[in-house]
Amino acid sequence: MPDIRTLDGVGDVRARLFAKKNIHTVEDLLSFFPRAYEDRTVEKQIFDCADGETVCIRAAVFSPVRETRIRKDMVIDSMQVSDESGMLKVFWYNSRFLKGKFRTGEEYIFYGTVKKNGTKREMAHPVFEKPGEQKETGRIVPVYPLWDRMTQGIMRKMMQQALSCCMLSEWIPKEILKKYQLMEKNRAARQMHAPEDAGLQEEARRRFAFEELLLLQLTLFRTKKQSEKLKKAPYPNRTCAWEMRFPFTLTNAQRHVIEEILEDFGKSTPMNRLVQGDVGSGKTAVAAAAMYVAARNGEQSALMAPTEILAKQHYETFCAL
């Protein structure tokens, strides 16, 4: 798979930034999925927008950009735009790139959140473009996790390059894809980073979620098969768990689980068991019984606890038992 440096705009410095997220190849980049999406396909007229609604508005520039200096380090650029339904004030803070961007009377598409200010409506820091360009509006736009000097613009540009030059290898058999109605990998990657609509993006997400769970299951299955090949002498002494002096009477469930563990101790293959229960259901007592049997058979045990205080409490409890 091509190195990340094969993409335009990725030199040694940017490659080191990507490496912080364990992104070293173009395939790694395509596996770095968006954290959210902005639906920029919804277009409304100014008067129809509710307070706090994030939409696209197609409007003509009514007045030229006006620069207002609030303080030495704060400049607001604003202008009025309009459509058939009303007027909208759009403004940006410290955006020096706006000079010469707009021409009075020309139409633009603005994407942002509409706020009502009395009878007036305004939109701060909107994304804008000319109708027909459809690069920043009129589509579903991915929003990526950012770090250091990365921006959404950089990430989207890199992803578009990666989609155009990289073919991902499909490892899930066709019959599995067909059985579970899963999207092919390359198409799924495109729908994750440049979705045509919300439905296709959800199909792509489902495919990669399936892939992740399948890999996990296969790994666990392989680990289990490998452990089954290991041999361990059975514990000859498996009755002493009941000799422990618990300060309470074991429940039937606790006794049942301990009996299953003792049965596993009598086998020649290592035990791999998960004991699950609510807080206070007696999981630690079950662990103590298992550790006690291991000790009576000349073996060692390790008990992990999330805090040092709890570890000391367990040690004192086990010593008393």
Side-chain angles (χ1 to χ4, degrees), residues 20-278:
K20 290 184 177 181
K21 294 296 182 180
N22 204 29
I23 299 173
H24 304 284
T25 67
V26 178
E27 185 173 11
D28 293 337
L29 182 63
L30 290 176
S31 298
F32 189 78
F33 297 131
R35 63 173 176 82
Y37 295 88
E38 290 180 352
D39 187 352
R40 299 182 182 179
T41 62
V42 179
E43 190 173 306
K44 282 191 172 184
Q45 290 196 323
I46 295 172
F47 185 79
D48 295 332
C49 295
D51 185 32
E53 189 173 10
T54 303
V55 294
C56 285
I57 292 176
R58 186 186 297 258
V61 175
F62 185 79
S63 66
V65 176
R66 178 186 175 188
E67 184 178 289
T68 305
R69 185 171 295 278
I70 304 300
R71 54 179 186 266
K72 185 177 179 180
D73 60 343
M74 177 65 72
V75 176
I76 298 178
D77 290 296
S78 63
M79 65 180 182
Q80 296 287 337
V81 300
S82 65
D83 61 12
E84 296 177 352
S85 68
M87 301 284 291
L88 175 73
K89 177 184 177 181
V90 293
F91 61 93
W92 298 263
Y93 294 101
N94 294 335
S95 296
R96 306 183 188 280
F97 68 91
L98 291 173
K99 289 185 178 180
K101 288 286 185 179
F102 301 100
R103 303 184 73 173
T104 304
E106 288 193 355
E107 197 173 57
Y108 298 83
I109 297 175
F110 300 90
Y111 172 79
T113 302
V114 177
K115 294 288 185 182
K116 288 186 178 180
N117 187 2
T119 59
K120 300 179 180 179
R121 288 175 170 82
E122 54 189 33
M123 182 183 286
H125 278 280
V127 174
F128 63 90
E129 64 183 355
K130 294 282 290 182
E133 292 182 357
Q134 303 302 119
K135 293 180 180 179
E136 298 294 333
T137 63
R139 64 188 187 92
I140 298 175
V141 178
V143 180
Y144 295 94
L146 299 178
W147 69 102
D148 292 347
R149 297 186 296 278
M150 286 294 178
T151 65
Q152 294 296 339
I154 291 173
M155 291 298 298
R156 290 167 189 157
K157 182 179 179 181
M158 295 297 103
M159 291 298 180
Q160 288 301 318
Q161 280 194 68
L163 288 171
S164 64
C165 73
C166 179
M167 291 295 292
L168 300 174
S169 57
E170 179 64 83
W171 64 271
I172 299 180
K174 290 183 179 179
E175 56 268 25
I176 298 295
L177 295 176
K178 183 178 180 180
K179 179 179 179 180
Y180 294 99
Q181 298 180 322
L182 299 173
M183 191 178 286
E184 185 272 330
K185 192 169 188 175
N186 281 285
R187 187 180 179 218
R190 182 165 295 278
Q191 294 303 326
M192 287 296 290
H193 297 292
E196 297 173 36
D197 58 52
L200 289 174
Q201 185 275 320
E202 176 57 26
E203 282 188 46
R205 187 205 64 78
R206 177 175 170 270
R207 181 250 143 79
F208 284 113
F210 182 96
E211 178 178 303
E212 186 174 338
L213 288 171
L214 181 57
L215 279 171
L216 176 61
Q217 289 288 76
L218 290 173
T219 302
L220 292 175
F221 182 75
R222 184 177 64 178
T223 302
K224 181 180 179 182
K225 287 297 181 183
Q226 290 173 342
S227 66
E228 288 175 352
K229 297 177 182 178
L230 301 174
K231 296 299 178 183
K232 174 67 179 176
Y235 290 172
N237 188 345
R238 300 192 302 278
T239 59
C240 48
W242 313 117
E243 299 173 10
M244 300 181 68
R245 297 179 180 178
F246 289 109
F248 51 83
T249 302
L250 292 176
T251 65
N252 290 334
Q254 290 168 336
R255 285 181 173 274
H256 177 72
V257 172
I258 292 173
E259 286 172 356
E260 288 186 342
I261 291 174
L262 296 180
E263 184 179 343
D264 283 346
F265 281 162
K267 298 176 182 178
S268 59
T269 55
M271 177 180 65
N272 184 15
R273 182 175 291 276
L274 170 69
V275 179
Q276 180 177 328
D278 294 333

